[in-house]
Amino acid sequence: MSQTRLLPADDTGKDGAAAILRAGGLVAMPTETVYGLAADARSDVAVARIFEAKGRPRFNPLIVHLPDIATARRLVKWDDRAEAVAQAFWPGPLTLVLPLAENAGLSPLVTAGLDSVALRVPAHPLARDLLLRFGGPLAAPSANPSGRVSPTEPAHVMEALNGRIEAVLDGGPCAVGVESTILGLTHDTPRLLRPGGLPAEALAEVLGAMPQPPEAAAGITAPGQMTSHYAPRGRVRLEAIAPEPGETYLGFGPLPAGAEGAMTLSASGDIVEAAARLFHCLHELDRAGAERIAVAPVPDRGLGRAINDRLRRAAAPRGGPESTSYAP
């Protein structure tokens, strides 16, 4: 394949991206969370190309991106809980996992053989416009090689996938910076399958109770449940109050004195800023050649749950079948 094209965020760029998708190609599109690697979710060949470009295991399902709630209702067995949370939080950084409807028309590669599917209506105006111009559902995991740090800027995608995909639609930096929250609604008990850009507390206000964690023995039932992911090249140590010799420090709040080359997720300790900067900082540490990274404690509440989830996966043992990447 020739060099990947960087398409502008104008009508010419959006029409060009839609044409590539209709031809079975791959386009990295911006969402409010991270950049997603989009392909026609109805085409086996196009979806297979996502797995090939990323080096992604095929047992890991993908999120399907849609333009509106009405389209979602046609693809799954919809219920009152789905209607309530969709009305409250779509478009936005929330993915719903629901039982797949008969004759939904999606490639079985999207669901990895499961009888459920993950759906999202993104809020980013470019993603929404592209979905309307394309005129169909788009499967879109994060636009990065499997197991690596998720992309939040066009440059991150170009560095990682240049020559492996057709184009990147340039929407600038992503505002949320961590992937979507995934809520499982396949059974009577709502389950938080992945913390993300929508805090679980917000879901609890609509559902009437906090969603429960995934069932321990359920296996992989949604994107984002693999052990090792979001990994920079350097090894990661968590809950570090200060760096040890040879470590580069990634702080939360003011940095300790004398921490050479250190970065902070948020100098003021703002959890929203920290979420937006997390993957940016990990990319910068890669560019700086950091071999060992010490990460400060981050409060485990609100968006902090999503940050800590990503950090734990970044610090997990690497290699083997559990190293993969997830959807936005």
Side-chain angles (χ1 to χ4, degrees), residues 145-325:
S146 185
R148 303 298 304 183
V149 180
S150 296
T152 56
E153 301 174 12
H156 298 161
V157 185
M158 295 295 286
E159 289 169 6
L161 296 178
N162 191 12
R164 299 165 70 177
I165 66 175
E166 277 76 9
V168 178
L169 184 58
D170 187 354
C174 300
V176 176
V178 291
E179 291 86 350
S180 60
T181 299
I182 301 182
L183 178 67
L185 295 175
T186 55
H187 296 94
D188 291 341
T189 302
R191 295 196 177 272
L192 184 65
L193 302 180
R194 178 180 71 183
L198 179 69
E201 292 86 348
L203 287 170
E205 291 182 7
V206 175
L207 294 169
M210 285 288 284
Q212 296 298 300
E215 294 179 273
I220 296 172
T221 57
Q225 294 183 315
M226 308 298 288
T227 300
S228 176
H229 183 48
Y230 314 110
R233 293 184 178 88
R235 295 290 173 175
V236 176
R237 181 173 67 91
L238 303 180
E239 302 293 323
I241 303 302
E244 296 177 351
E247 290 183 329
T248 303
Y249 196 57
L250 178 58
F252 177 74
L255 291 172
E260 185 176 351
M263 303 179 67
T264 183
L265 295 169
S266 171
S268 64
D270 182 276
I271 204 73
V272 175
E273 180 186 18
R277 281 180 46 79
L278 174 62
F279 290 140
H280 170 78
C281 288
L282 293 179
H283 278 286
E284 289 300 310
L285 289 166
D286 267 355
R287 291 193 183 106
E291 296 181 357
R292 295 169 56 203
I293 303 166
V295 184
V298 176
D300 200 41
R301 61 179 183 272
L303 285 176
R305 290 193 184 93
I307 295 170
N308 285 320
D309 173 79
R310 304 311 188 268
L311 289 171
R312 283 191 293 269
R313 297 176 195 274
R318 303 177 189 179
E322 289 193 336
S323 293
T324 189
S325 62

Side-chain angles (χ1 to χ4, degrees), residues 60-221:
N60 194 17
L62 307 177
I63 293 176
V64 176
H65 292 66
L66 305 169
D68 51 43
I69 295 174
T71 306
R73 294 191 192 106
R74 295 194 292 268
L75 297 178
V76 295
K77 297 173 183 177
W78 199 252
D79 63 22
D80 291 342
R81 300 171 304 173
E83 184 70 21
V85 293
Q87 291 290 346
F89 302 117
W90 275 358
L94 172 67
T95 293
L96 298 180
V97 176
L98 288 154
L100 187 66
E102 293 183 10
N103 303 315
L106 300 176
S107 168
L109 293 174
V110 168
T111 62
L114 299 171
D115 58 4
S116 60
V117 66
L119 303 178
R120 181 158 98 88
V121 177
H124 196 292
L126 272 182
R128 294 177 59 76
D129 200 349
L130 180 58
L131 281 159
L132 292 171
R133 291 175 191 237
F134 172 65
L138 292 174
S142 52
N144 58 303
S146 185
R148 303 298 304 183
V149 180
S150 296
T152 56
E153 301 174 12
H156 298 161
V157 185
M158 295 295 286
E159 289 169 6
L161 296 178
N162 191 12
R164 299 165 70 177
I165 66 175
E166 277 76 9
V168 178
L169 184 58
D170 187 354
C174 300
V176 176
V178 291
E179 291 86 350
S180 60
T181 299
I182 301 182
L183 178 67
L185 295 175
T186 55
H187 296 94
D188 291 341
T189 302
R191 295 196 177 272
L192 184 65
L193 302 180
R194 178 180 71 183
L198 179 69
E201 292 86 348
L203 287 170
E205 291 182 7
V206 175
L207 294 169
M210 285 288 284
Q212 296 298 300
E215 294 179 273
I220 296 172
T221 57

